[in-house]
Amino acid sequence: MIRSLYYLKAMGFNFVDTHINHFEQAQNFQELKQLVSSCTLCQFSKTRKFSLMEPKIKNVKLLILDVFGQKSENESGILLNSKKGEKLKHYIYQILGLCDEDFYFSYLFKCFCNGKFDDFSLQSCLPFFWNELKLIQPAFLLCLGEYTFKSLGFKDYHILKGEVFAYKNFFIMPSYDLDFIEKNPSYEKNFIQDLKKIKGFL
């Protein structure tokens, strides 16, 4: 079911923080990568071996956003180079028929944080993501997990989980992250159903 942002507001939902900083600096992808790789705004820059970003821009319709990368990704510089990453790629291929080159993947935190993060680090990284989003211009944004969804300024995750709604010039759907599914395997079928809803937008 597709609900527009204004329709939800009319129904009494209040899930967008209008004070989000969408400040954008880079005019192209390589410039953005350079800004990320040289960033020292928070303590996670000290653990960075590679910036946790795609190696190049992709002309794709689907952008998938998760919270943070794994140690193996920081060591190799290759996104989704982990057990969790391989599992996600399996879902995307089996349900949507998309290979690595057919979707763009991003993390909120562009440096390895070892699963620990705070609001200051998030606010330091968010402008990079908004910049990245503008450069990629996807048709659809899949947010994995409650923290990811809320970090973009949205609320009511448990109400909107699995719902598709319009925001600016693309569609968004929040769903479960793979850590949650691993701990709660009974929700896997719900995650698969959510992925199936994306097909018509790609």
Side-chain angles (χ1 to χ4, degrees):
M1 179 180 181
I2 301 173
R3 303 179 184 179
S4 72
L5 179 61
Y6 294 107
Y7 174 75
L8 284 169
K9 281 187 173 182
M11 294 297 291
F13 292 106
N14 180 24
F15 56 91
V16 175
D17 182 358
T18 57
H19 299 291
I20 294 174
N21 180 8
H22 289 214
F23 178 71
E24 295 151 3
Q25 302 177 44
Q27 301 303 309
N28 60 68
F29 189 75
Q30 291 306 315
E31 183 183 349
L32 176 61
K33 287 201 68 172
Q34 179 59 39
L35 287 171
V36 171
S37 64
S38 60
C39 176
T40 57
L41 290 175
C42 77
Q43 72 272 21
F44 297 136
S45 62
K46 298 176 182 178
T47 63
R48 178 182 62 225
K49 293 187 177 180
F50 289 94
S51 299
L52 298 177
M53 291 183 66
E54 293 267 18
K56 61 182 180 180
I57 198 168
K58 296 178 181 178
N59 182 23
V60 294
K61 293 184 177 181
L62 176 63
L63 191 158
I64 303 174
L65 180 64
D66 205 344
V67 182
F68 57 84
Q70 305 297 306
K71 182 178 180 181
S72 55
E73 294 169 285
N74 186 45
E75 297 284 345
S76 66
I78 302 173
L79 292 192
L80 301 177
N81 180 32
S82 65
K83 181 180 178 181
K84 186 173 80 168
E86 291 299 325
K87 185 69 173 178
L88 177 62
K89 288 192 289 185
H90 174 77
Y91 282 125
I92 298 302
Y93 181 74
Q94 291 296 320
I95 307 302
L96 300 177
L98 301 179
C99 299
D100 291 12
E101 290 300 313
D102 299 323
F103 67 92
Y104 186 93
F105 186 81
S106 180
Y107 286 118
L108 283 175
F109 293 94
K110 305 303 185 189
C111 296
F112 177 60
C113 64
N114 200 26
K116 301 175 183 178
F117 42 86
D118 53 46
D119 188 63
F120 177 80
S121 301
L122 174 65
Q123 297 307 318
S124 298
C125 257
L126 269 178
F128 292 134
F129 171 70
W130 290 118
N131 200 158
E132 189 177 29
L133 181 67
K134 183 177 181 180
L135 292 172
I136 302 301
Q137 297 185 341
F140 202 101
L141 173 61
L142 172 62
C143 292
L144 299 180
E146 183 175 5
Y147 184 86
T148 302
F149 190 60
K150 286 185 174 180
S151 294
L152 299 186
F154 299 102
K155 299 179 181 179
D156 301 314
Y157 169 80
H158 295 287
I159 296 173
L160 296 174
K161 202 286 305 173
E163 297 286 351
V164 178
F165 62 93
Y167 179 69
K168 296 200 173 187
N169 59 342
F170 55 90
F171 293 96
I172 299 180
M173 182 178 72
S175 189
Y176 301 118
D177 61 83
L178 268 63
D179 288 331
F180 178 86
I181 295 173
E182 184 177 0
K183 295 174 183 176
N184 304 274
S186 63
Y187 286 88
E188 181 184 34
K189 61 182 180 181
N190 301 84
F191 179 67
I192 291 173
Q193 288 301 316
D194 288 348
L195 290 182
K196 289 180 178 179
K197 297 175 185 178
I198 301 175
K199 278 188 173 182
F201 297 88
L202 304 179

